[in-house]
Amino acid sequence: MHSLQKTPYLLTREQASTFLGIDPKSFDKFIRSNNSLKRFMIGKQERYTVDSLLEFIETHSI
């Protein structure tokens, strides 16, 4: 089980893929490229919350 105590609120692409247990390239191809994933922009850099990642996975599960 993943400990959320040490997880920053806004995750980078690499942190988000690690949280989900997938490769960053797979994250880009299958998750990040989908416009329904909520993201927070800091300048041109995307950040993701654990809640937005979990919501995306739950919504797109078959």
Side-chain angles (χ1 to χ4, degrees):
M1 190 79 174
H2 182 56
S3 172
L4 294 178
Q5 288 181 326
K6 296 182 182 180
T7 303
Y9 188 73
L10 295 175
L11 305 176
T12 64
R13 163 187 173 265
E14 292 81 9
Q15 291 168 325
S17 62
T18 298
F19 173 78
L20 294 173
I22 61 174
D23 181 85
K25 289 182 182 181
S26 295
F27 177 76
D28 291 343
K29 183 175 181 180
F30 299 110
I31 298 176
R32 186 175 171 219
S33 63
N34 191 311
N35 287 332
S36 65
L37 174 63
K38 294 178 184 176
R39 57 201 89 207
F40 183 81
M41 298 299 292
I42 300 177
K44 294 183 180 182
Q45 298 180 357
E46 297 176 350
R47 294 292 187 267
Y48 315 92
T49 64
V50 169
D51 289 341
S52 67
L53 295 170
L54 294 174
E55 179 182 323
F56 179 86
I57 296 299
E58 290 174 11
T59 302
H60 291 84
S61 295
I62 55 173

